[in-house]
Amino acid sequence: MRTTAVAVAGALAAVGGLHALWARSPWPCRSRAEFADLVVGTTPEHLPSPAACLGVAGLLGTGAYLVAARGGALPATGPRWLRTAGAAGVATVLLARGLAGPRLLTDRSPGFVRLDRHLYAPLCAALGTGAAVVAARGR
């Protein structure tokens, strides 16, 4: 259980770090236009604001903590039911994004749609499955 929690929480923290970075930089893309196309599926004029990127980073960090604490990888604070509900919420959001994203985000750029089908959605589904296991069996 702890290994699953560490893997899921670590991945969530890393993706959260990317979102924080994206508040200032289009890395790993070479330009804002390439970033908008491949990561968001839109034009540079419609990119999320830096504040939105930082908000998502904060949510991912919170999700990482909830999964890690529920899985016994970090010290637990607060009531157990809150960690359970939090980890279950993380699982629900990630599974919904992983399973519904490729069906709902078809109006985005072709580069994004390709990456979503092959990388973003499968990653969300895998992390959501791991978070669900931790939510169901953690402490």
Side-chain angles (χ1 to χ4, degrees):
M1 184 57 46
R2 186 176 177 148
T3 302
T4 301
V6 167
V8 172
L12 291 174
V15 173
L18 270 176
H19 280 77
L21 175 67
W22 291 338
R24 287 285 199 203
S25 168
W27 186 87
C29 298
R30 287 175 256 168
S31 68
R32 285 178 46 86
E34 183 183 28
F35 176 81
D37 176 46
L38 297 177
V39 178
V40 186
T42 189
T43 61
E45 300 81 37
H46 294 99
L47 282 172
S49 68
C53 293
L54 292 174
V56 172
L59 290 171
L60 287 162
T62 301
Y65 168 75
L66 290 166
V67 170
R70 176 73 176 149
L74 286 177
T77 59
R80 181 178 181 205
W81 68 265
L82 187 57
R83 291 186 304 280
T84 303
V90 169
T92 301
V93 169
L94 289 170
L95 285 169
R97 170 60 182 91
L99 298 174
R103 291 161 188 76
L104 298 177
L105 300 174
T106 58
D107 62 335
R108 303 286 177 101
S109 71
F112 172 86
V113 169
R114 179 180 45 79
L115 284 171
D116 188 49
R117 288 190 178 142
H118 297 288
L119 178 62
Y120 307 147
L123 178 61
C124 287
L127 292 175
T129 301
V133 169
V134 172
R137 297 186 185 164
R139 51 186 187 128

